[in-house]
Amino acid sequence: MSAQSTVSKLSKSDRKLQKKIAKSQRTLLKHEGIETSEKTTKILCVNNAGLDVGVSYDEVHEVFNPFGKVDEIIMLPLKPYAFVCYQDLDSAERAMNQLNGTSLPETSSRKQSATLYIFFVSKVPVGLSPSPDLPPGLVVLTDFVTEEEERGFLSAVDWGSSPGERRELKHRQVKHFGFEFKYGINDVDADDPLPQGIPPVCSNFLQRALATGHVTHYPDQLTVNQYQPGQGIPSHIDTGPAFEDGIMSLSLGSQVLMDFHHPDGRQLSVLLPPRSLLIMTRESRYVWSHGITPRKSDIVPSAEGNLNVVPRGVRTSFTFRKIILPAERKRREAQQGSENRPTIPVSSSEAEKLETHHVHQVYEEIASHFSGTRHSPWPRISEFLLKQPPGSLMADIGCGNGKYLGINKSLYQIGSDRSFKLTEICRERGFQAFVADVLSVPLRSESFDVCICIAVIHHLSTEERRIHAISELVRVLRPGGQALVYVWAMEQEINKVKSKYLKEKEFDGLPSVKDDSNSHGNGCKQTGEDSNQQHISDDSGDISSNSKHQECDVVKSDNSCQWTERQTTEICDENSHEIRQNSDSKMKTQTHFGVNKQLDSLNLPNKSSEQYGKQPKELVVHKNRTNFQQQDLLVPWQLKGGSRSEAGGGEQVFHRFYHVFQRGELERLCGHVTGCQVVNGYYDQGNWAVILQKM
């Protein structure tokens, strides 16, 4: 019987279902690389059964388990599909034939039904099955040790002894030989060797490994990790300065799929069979991050090209490294620092290069982790947004993960950010956002009623660029529209009361996850504004609901703001550090430096840029949770969770450029922008803020 006659005998509803299945297959092939198999396979792709649809693991298991033994259900974050892996072909075929087109009913967390479209697959997305290629500099040598040698290695590790040399980490057990990797400092102490060196059973293996020519240094440090089925390790890059190039990791007991990620978004998955040796050198060692997704099985192609689900067993990895002695580390760090340390830009091209490397690229790298630390909106910013009339058009320039886009749902809102990945997160949350630079906002002039730019302008590396950014905000506002701008303040202590940034506690002996300032540039977002944020909500509620905010009437004259006479004396509320007013006294302020005179009553450190000392040409790396020593600097962002390697490696640190603002500096820059006036200016937990109004 021909295929055409078979199709003609299908009912109308069956034909409709087949069309939807075919459309689903085309969509997943185009966007996810999932290929359909005409043959029956043990692995089913189930569209509309993913986490992104709101379907739970338990729901999928309950629906598919009656048709046979389910080996694994794989559900990926933010994906609309799941993979159901059966133990045999008959079970998979029964499930597909009987469940295709089935609808999962609504639940309390999912407000609509989900229709399942199911098909066999011959190829799964990257990360679930081995890639044909390896990262540059990566070598995998299969069957590098025999089964007898494997037993010798495993018996050499006594997990019950030497408690000071073994640790029970969240995802695995770990034991060190030669030198302990100290997670509190993400490093080894070369002056504190362990009593037990690398076990003698490893000697013959190490000689053979060096004979391959891929590694030139004989190791003196060994980290042994043991993983139970279902355990993994987040993506990370091993500590660079502590160890020589060439890291060797021997996999024993079970296979595993290791994922490698390049900063440009490329991903490769590498199968590590039992008794195989992984060697990371050059780019694979220093550029590509690697990790293991926690699963109980891996999808591995057979010799015939079929996909098999291979359960993971207990896996033990032996990772060998050669430490770099302190004197040699200092010599290399000094050499690298003199050659590669960025400098304060003196031209537009230098500024663009600095911001590209130390702002834009950093936020692309840390977007997911960064977004995970951005939760509660700041009260003063929320208050500003909630005061806007319903139906107003609002632009959030540098919207980050969209934290402020949902505050006032009566507004028509749109966000922009320089980070592509952060705008993706916004869209996943249901917000309208697009990629744009604060220096060139592609929005129509005089279109918006309100604009906010939170923790962005301090990432611009020259005064000209900072002024131009403010002018872009003013340009998109209609006459009478207002813009709220926040920047990180150099003054982090007022009246002997520290900002939340300085008070933020470190934990686990590690630098703070939240980082420090406000944040991100040319439309990227970050730190002091957010690192203190949760504490603002917990400690001071609405930051003094009885306070009267500083009001400054401004008129424009020759591109400078003039502050008119007000019956005001500012005092500092020590609970909120908010500038408040007392109507019982008078203060006359003149010229655009008047705000400096007003703020003198706050006992701020009266240091001009000259008094801080001549700015060094080189940009220094700021020490988190300390006062700033200069205005232009690099602030570290340390990835948490995805940073400790199975080799005991350290956490990946990125450095972002900041220009922290002195008192009155933000108002002074606004004075260079025509057609606007500062109607309010205040200090909010380590940040300077102004409200501009377009005239």
Side-chain angles (χ1 to χ4, degrees):
M1 183 180 295
S2 68
Q4 184 175 0
S5 62
T6 301
V7 173
S8 64
K9 291 186 177 181
L10 293 175
S11 66
K12 183 178 180 180
S13 60
D14 287 338
R15 290 197 301 272
K16 185 176 181 181
L17 174 61
Q18 291 300 320
K19 287 182 179 179
K20 290 187 175 181
I21 294 172
K23 181 179 179 181
S24 177
Q25 293 172 341
R26 291 193 300 271
T27 300
L28 293 180
L29 174 61
K30 179 179 179 180
H31 296 288
E32 302 292 331
I34 300 173
E35 294 184 3
T36 303
S37 173
E38 296 298 329
K39 300 188 300 181
T40 301
T41 66
K42 298 178 183 179
I43 303 172
L44 300 177
C45 180
V46 188
N47 202 16
N48 290 339
L51 296 173
D52 197 48
V53 182
V55 178
S56 69
Y57 179 96
D58 290 339
E59 282 185 277
V60 177
H61 188 270
E62 182 179 352
V63 170
F64 284 85
N65 194 55
F67 296 91
K69 174 64 176 176
V70 175
D71 272 341
E72 181 81 287
I73 296 173
I74 301 173
M75 305 180 78
L76 303 176
L78 303 176
K79 298 300 181 183
Y81 54 82
F83 291 97
V84 178
C85 308
Y86 279 102
Q87 205 168 67
D88 59 83
L89 296 173
D90 291 340
S91 299
E93 188 168 26
R94 282 196 303 270
M96 191 193 77
N97 290 336
Q98 297 194 38
L99 293 177
N100 234 328
T102 299
S103 290
L104 301 179
E106 299 178 12
T107 64
S108 57
S109 59
R110 187 180 64 252
K111 301 304 180 183
Q112 58 184 6
S113 61
T115 303
L116 306 182
Y117 301 115
I118 309 170
F119 48 90
F120 302 119
V121 294
S122 58
K123 184 180 178 182
V124 294
V126 174
L128 295 182
S129 189
S131 305
D133 302 317
L134 298 177
L138 189 76
V139 177
V140 178
L141 303 174
T142 59
D143 294 318
F144 196 79
V145 297
T146 65
E147 292 185 9
E148 181 180 356
E149 287 176 309
E150 179 180 41
R151 289 191 292 270
F153 273 89
L154 295 175
S155 63
V157 181
D158 183 358
W159 292 103
S161 66
S162 305
E165 299 160 23
R166 64 171 291 274
R167 294 187 62 181
E168 191 84 31
L169 299 182
K170 181 178 180 181
H171 301 292
R172 64 198 189 276
Q173 287 192 93
V174 62
K175 187 168 183 177
H176 303 288
F177 297 86
F179 296 88
E180 178 186 3
F181 187 87
K182 299 183 178 181
Y183 295 103
I185 60 173
N186 293 324
D187 209 339
V188 295
D189 184 353
D191 297 323
D192 186 23
L194 295 171
Q196 187 175 4
I198 295 178
V201 71
C202 303
S203 298
N204 184 41
F205 156 80
L206 290 175
Q207 293 292 346
R208 296 204 315 269
L210 265 66
T212 65
H214 298 297
V215 179
T216 57
H217 302 280
Y218 195 92
D220 54 11
Q221 194 274 338
L222 166 64
T223 298
V224 182
N225 290 272
Q226 189 171 88
Y227 301 85
Q228 298 298 319
Q231 292 182 329
I233 187 169
S235 189
H236 61 276
I237 293 179
D238 283 11
T239 306
F243 305 99
E244 296 285 1
D245 189 17
I247 292 178
M248 299 184 290
S249 187
L250 183 66
S251 292
L252 303 175
S254 175
Q255 95 293 332
V256 76
L257 201 64
M258 182 171 282
D259 302 315
F260 287 80
H261 297 267
H262 191 275
D264 63 11
R266 283 178 288 163
Q267 178 180 349
L268 296 172
S269 296
V270 178
L271 179 66
L272 304 180
R275 302 184 299 282
S276 65
L277 177 62
L278 171 76
I279 303 177
M280 290 185 292
T281 65
R282 304 188 307 277
E283 185 175 322
S284 67
R285 156 84 166 94
Y286 296 107
V287 179
W288 292 71
S289 62
H290 61 280
I292 298 171
T293 302
R295 286 195 304 268
K296 292 187 177 181
S297 63
D298 295 303
I299 298 177
V300 180
S302 67
E304 296 78 22
N306 299 320
L307 295 180
N308 293 326
V309 179
V310 182
R312 292 182 184 175
V314 176
R315 174 178 173 266
T316 304
S317 66
F318 281 62
T319 303
F320 300 87
R321 302 180 296 185
K322 169 66 177 175
I323 71 168
I324 301 175
L325 295 175
E328 176 63 13
R329 288 179 66 172
K330 289 181 180 179
R331 186 193 68 78
R332 295 184 189 185
E333 289 168 0
Q335 181 180 9
Q336 183 179 17
S338 62
E339 293 175 352
N340 300 326
R341 181 174 294 170
T343 59
I344 297 173
V346 295
S347 66
S348 178
S349 61
E350 289 182 6
E352 291 177 5
K353 182 178 179 180
L354 174 66
E355 292 162 19
T356 295
H357 185 67
H358 286 286
V359 181
H360 308 156
Q361 291 179 2
V362 171
Y363 281 99
E364 287 301 310
E365 284 293 307
I366 69 174
S368 179
H369 179 220
F370 169 81
S371 178
T373 65
R374 301 289 157 305
H375 304 296
S376 305
W378 265 28
R380 288 293 293 270
I381 300 172
S382 296
E383 177 186 338
F384 174 80
L385 292 172
L386 291 170
K387 285 182 177 178
Q388 304 306 316
S392 297
L393 193 58
M394 189 274 280
D396 184 349
I397 308 300
C399 61
N401 65 355
K403 180 176 64 179
Y404 291 109
L405 288 174
I407 298 297
N408 187 344
K409 299 187 184 302
S410 70
L411 306 179
Y412 293 100
Q413 305 170 75
I414 191 167
S416 71
D417 201 280
R418 187 59 173 74
S419 167
F420 173 78
K421 291 184 179 178
L422 285 173
T423 58
E424 276 193 326
I425 292 172
C426 287
R427 290 191 289 271
E428 289 165 0
R429 294 179 172 180
F431 300 126
Q432 295 188 63
F434 60 93
V435 177
D437 196 303
V438 69
L439 296 173
S440 182
V441 182
L443 296 174
R444 184 178 300 170
S445 300
E446 300 189 351
S447 298
F448 287 81
D449 301 292
V450 62
C451 175
I452 63 174
C453 186
I454 310 302
V456 173
I457 293 176
H458 54 215
H459 280 304
L460 299 172
S461 55
T462 67
E463 183 168 288
E464 292 76 14
R465 293 165 76 82
R466 294 188 282 272
I467 293 172
H468 183 71
I470 296 172
S471 71
E472 276 291 276
L473 304 180
V474 174
R475 179 186 62 80
V476 302
L477 288 174
R478 63 166 180 78
Q482 292 189 339
L484 174 63
V485 181
Y486 266 64
V487 294
W488 209 6
M490 187 165 189
E491 299 82 0
Q492 292 293 314
E493 186 171 343
I494 296 180
N495 283 348
K496 298 183 179 179
V497 179
K498 295 180 179 179
S499 69
K500 293 290 183 179
Y501 164 64
L502 293 183
K503 288 194 236 181
E504 184 77 18
K505 299 297 183 183
E506 298 181 0
F507 53 90
D508 293 339
L510 297 171
S512 171
V513 177
K514 287 187 180 179
D515 175 33
D516 336 300
S517 59
N518 290 282
S519 218
H520 50 270
N522 299 32
C524 291
K525 184 163 288 217
Q526 182 3 44
T527 50
E529 182 261 326
D530 271 289
S531 66
N532 305 322
Q533 192 156 291
Q534 187 62 48
H535 295 277
I536 290 289
S537 301
D538 292 345
D539 298 340
S540 56
D542 199 27
I543 312 190
S544 181
S545 60
N546 297 323
S547 65
K548 296 181 180 179
H549 307 331
Q550 179 191 23
E551 299 275 345
C552 301
D553 290 344
V554 186
V555 295
K556 236 9 212 166
S557 175
D558 298 328
N559 287 350
S560 66
C561 295
Q562 291 188 334
W563 300 79
T564 62
E565 179 177 353
R566 300 285 286 175
Q567 293 181 335
T568 60
T569 299
E570 279 87 10
I571 62 175
C572 183
D573 182 331
E574 294 191 358
N575 291 324
S576 68
H577 289 178
E578 175 188 11
I579 299 172
R580 303 178 63 188
Q581 300 187 7
N582 186 336
S583 61
D584 295 332
S585 59
K586 293 184 178 181
M587 175 175 286
K588 181 176 292 187
T589 57
Q590 299 176 346
T591 78
H592 66 282
F593 294 108
V595 68
N596 288 352
K597 296 181 181 179
Q598 292 180 353
L599 294 174
D600 284 342
S601 61
L602 299 181
N603 298 323
L604 293 170
N606 187 21
K607 294 183 180 180
S608 66
S609 57
E610 290 79 11
Q611 288 171 311
Y612 276 110
K614 186 178 180 181
Q615 291 275 25
K617 186 177 181 182
E618 289 186 348
L619 290 169
V620 300
V621 177
H622 173 63
K623 183 178 180 181
N624 283 338
R625 310 298 169 199
T626 64
N627 281 303
F628 298 112
Q629 301 304 310
Q630 63 185 58
Q631 286 187 269
D632 296 295
L633 37 78
L634 299 174
V635 177
W637 174 281
Q638 186 164 19
L639 285 177
K640 191 67 64 173
S643 49
R644 294 177 184 171
S645 71
E646 73 171 38
E651 299 188 338
Q652 190 173 6
V653 178
F654 298 90
H655 293 104
R656 295 152 301 139
F657 171 82
Y658 282 87
H659 172 85
V660 290
F661 279 63
Q662 293 182 3
R663 59 181 183 140
E665 182 180 354
L666 182 55
E667 289 84 354
R668 179 178 63 80
L669 294 190
C670 294
H672 288 281
V673 178
T674 58
C676 70
Q677 62 180 10
V678 177
V679 298
N680 195 359
Y682 56 91
Y683 179 86
D684 190 1
Q685 282 301 324
N687 302 274
W688 293 115
V690 297
I691 298 177
L692 293 172
Q693 184 165 331
K694 186 165 184 174
M695 301 190 314

